[in-house]
């Protein structure tokens, strides 16, 4: 019975994420999830151990509905999946709840405030977004840095809900070997072309890139990668969290506020351009070497800084210097990436109705951004 319950709930979650269930079914699934968390508020973790054969058969519908909402720190990461499975197995009656019953259920436990309930009732919001918003209200999603103001979003929660959708959509894209191989190829090739334009040797980058690819492709390294990134407050091992947020967006943040050792070099008009470029490269390389020295030897961050060491000294001049050819391209890269992300975070221009539609729009935005960069590089290099 437990295995059947697990399978049923996994199918239910897939329905919600793919947008394949009607409103009645969505309400049933939401009721199951919400009640599961209320059960945890009633029972202690020791009593609520779904790995044992003793389940919560004695918890009656009446006791659950009349119990007050307890103030808890929140369920642990390990306990949450078990709670959700238990909800399906023991609360099959939730499937009979109507939309009105569920609304009463929210109010009885004061789980959602009035504003958030209004959002969930808003018919104009895309279905996947509403489902993710509901999950966020039950157990908040997290991220390393909330960028809701940067992308013009309405609130920190709006950003977190959409980030979670992008994570799921990116995972869907990576299941497609053709699209996954395209993303790897275009990332490597466009970066190599940019280095070529900067007059740098591309061989060091290619070797570092392939070394990283081999490392992350080995499933045995996943735990070590998670541990390293957790120390850097990266909450999810995902393309968005690592490549886009941690690598790209953080680099753009650094460009907005370069350290004094860098600004003193690039702003010194008494020094020739070639010398300023050389001094800037030396300063940047020194900062990367310092960070690399603190990373775990031969770990993820060590390999990451090896890639950055092959890129940043050469490209820093393109972003911060006054090269008439390289600087416009680097500025365009940054603008195009931020424009594409702003579009992705806008539910009016990106379809958050289902996981499939979001993945399609995400891939389209990435494709357009990469093709535009490739066209610019080909034009300058030809």
């Amino acid at each position: 019975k437990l295995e059947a319950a697990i399978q049923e709930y996994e199918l239910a979650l897939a329905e919600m994420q793919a947008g394949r269930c009607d409103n009645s079914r969505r309400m049933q699934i939401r009721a199951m999830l919400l009640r599961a968390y209320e059960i945890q508020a009633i029972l202690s973790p020791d009593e609520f151990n779904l790995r044992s054969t003793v389940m919560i058969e004695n918890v009656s519908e009446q006791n659950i509905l009349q119990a007050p909402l307890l103030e808890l720190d929140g369920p642990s990461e390990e306990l949450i999946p078990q709670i959700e499975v238990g909800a399906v197995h023991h609360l099959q009656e939730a499937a009979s709840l109507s939309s009105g019953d569920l609304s009463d259920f929210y109010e009885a436990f004061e789980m959602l405030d009035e504003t958030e309930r209004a959002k969930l009732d808003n018919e104009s919001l895309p279905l996947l977004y509403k489902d993710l918003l509901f999950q966020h209200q039950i157990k908040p999603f997290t991220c390393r840095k909330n960028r809701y103001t940067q992308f013009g979003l309405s609130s920190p929660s709006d950003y977190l809900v959409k980030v979670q959708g992008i994570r799921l959509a990116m995972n869907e894209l990576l299941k497609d070997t053709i699209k996954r191989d395209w993303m790897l190829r275009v990332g490597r090739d466009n970066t190599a072309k940019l280095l070529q334009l900067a007059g740098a040797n591309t061989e060091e980058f290619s070797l570092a890139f392939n070394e990283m690819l081999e490392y992350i492709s080995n499933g045995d390294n996943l735990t070590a990668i998670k541990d390293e990134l957790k120390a850097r407050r990266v909450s999810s091992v995902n393309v968005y969290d690592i490549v886009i947020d941690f690598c790209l967006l953080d680099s753009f943040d650094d460009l907005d506020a370069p350290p004094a050792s860098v600004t003193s070099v690039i702003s010194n008009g008494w020094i020739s351009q070639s010398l300023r470029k050389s001094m800037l490269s030396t300063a940047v390389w020194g900062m990367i070497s310092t960070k690399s020295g603190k990373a775990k030897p031969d770990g993820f961050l060590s390999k990451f800084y090896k890639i950055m060491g092959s890129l940043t000294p050469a490209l820093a001049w393109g972003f911060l210097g006054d090269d008439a050819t390289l600087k416009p391209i680097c500025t365009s890269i940054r603008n195009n990436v931020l424009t594409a992300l702003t579009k992705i975070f806008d539910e009016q221009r990106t379809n958050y109705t289902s996981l499939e539609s979001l993945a399609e729009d995400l891939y389209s935005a990435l494709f357009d951004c990469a093709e535009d960069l490739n066209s610019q590089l080909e034009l300058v290099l030809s």
Side-chain angles (χ1 to χ4, degrees), residues 48-265:
F48 197 72
N49 184 359
L50 295 186
R51 290 178 181 157
S52 70
T53 57
V54 180
M55 308 296 266
I56 53 172
E57 302 290 355
N58 295 327
V59 179
S60 69
E61 168 82 356
Q62 190 68 17
N63 289 337
I64 293 173
L65 292 178
Q66 291 183 352
L69 178 64
L70 304 182
E71 295 296 330
L72 300 179
D73 291 332
S76 68
E77 291 287 346
E78 184 178 356
L79 190 57
I80 287 168
Q82 302 169 24
I83 295 172
E84 295 175 353
V85 171
V88 178
H89 186 59
H90 298 285
L91 299 175
Q92 294 291 349
E93 68 274 15
S96 64
L97 280 180
S98 67
S99 176
D101 293 332
L102 187 57
S103 178
D104 292 339
F105 188 76
Y106 289 155
E107 293 173 2
F109 288 103
E110 300 177 358
M111 180 64 84
L112 305 179
D113 63 30
E114 186 175 343
T115 301
E116 298 304 335
R117 280 202 297 272
K119 285 183 179 180
L120 289 171
D121 292 335
N122 187 349
E123 295 298 330
S124 66
L125 287 178
L127 293 178
L128 175 63
Y129 180 91
K130 290 174 71 173
D131 288 335
L132 292 173
L133 176 61
F134 177 82
Q135 293 176 42
H136 174 65
Q137 293 304 318
I138 300 299
K139 176 182 179 289
F141 303 128
T142 60
C143 68
R144 187 179 60 92
K145 183 181 296 186
N146 198 302
R147 300 180 182 273
Y148 81 99
T149 55
Q150 182 175 3
F151 295 114
L153 302 181
S154 61
S155 66
S157 292
D158 190 22
Y159 177 78
L160 289 169
V161 168
K162 288 174 179 174
V163 162
Q164 184 66 12
I166 293 168
R167 288 167 176 162
L168 296 172
M170 190 64 75
N171 288 342
E172 286 298 303
L173 291 180
L174 293 179
K175 293 177 184 177
D176 187 324
T177 55
I178 295 177
K179 291 178 179 177
R180 182 180 67 234
D181 291 346
W182 173 84
M183 286 189 281
L184 289 171
R185 185 178 64 255
V186 76
R188 180 180 56 235
D189 293 351
N190 278 348
T191 303
K193 290 176 183 178
L194 190 59
L195 285 172
Q196 183 183 345
L197 182 62
N201 190 328
T202 62
E203 184 176 353
E204 184 182 352
F205 162 73
S206 296
L207 290 174
F209 185 91
N210 291 335
E211 185 179 335
M212 172 65 88
L213 190 59
E214 181 180 355
Y215 181 76
I216 63 176
S217 298
N218 186 345
D220 294 338
N221 295 325
L222 182 59
T223 299
I225 293 173
K226 287 181 177 179
D227 290 342
E228 275 197 273
L229 291 174
K230 185 178 181 180
R232 301 297 296 272
R233 299 183 297 108
V234 177
S235 58
S236 177
V237 178
N238 183 273
V239 173
Y240 179 83
D241 293 82
I242 300 174
V243 178
I244 297 177
D245 182 70
F246 183 68
C247 297
L248 272 179
L249 296 181
D250 258 19
S251 296
F252 293 161
D253 291 343
D254 291 340
L255 292 173
D256 288 334
S261 59
V262 171
T263 55
S264 63
V265 171

Side-chain angles (χ1 to χ4, degrees), residues 262-312:
V262 171
T263 55
S264 63
V265 171
I266 60 178
S267 63
N268 194 331
W270 295 98
I271 305 176
S272 67
Q273 185 186 81
S274 60
L275 184 56
R276 279 185 289 140
K277 181 178 179 180
S278 176
M279 292 173 65
L280 176 61
S281 177
T282 301
V284 171
W285 175 256
M287 289 187 292
I288 294 175
S289 297
T290 300
K291 292 181 179 181
S292 179
K294 297 177 181 179
K296 175 184 176 182
D298 206 35
F300 176 85
L301 289 177
S302 175
K303 298 180 188 302
F304 166 71
Y305 287 126
K306 190 173 182 179
I307 293 177
M308 296 302 290
S310 69
L311 290 175
T312 312

Side-chain angles (χ1 to χ4, degrees), residues 352-367:
Y352 281 81
T353 300
S354 69
L355 190 56
E356 182 181 21
S357 65
L358 179 56
E360 289 177 357
D361 280 5
L362 178 59
Y363 180 74
S364 177
L366 294 175
F367 185 87

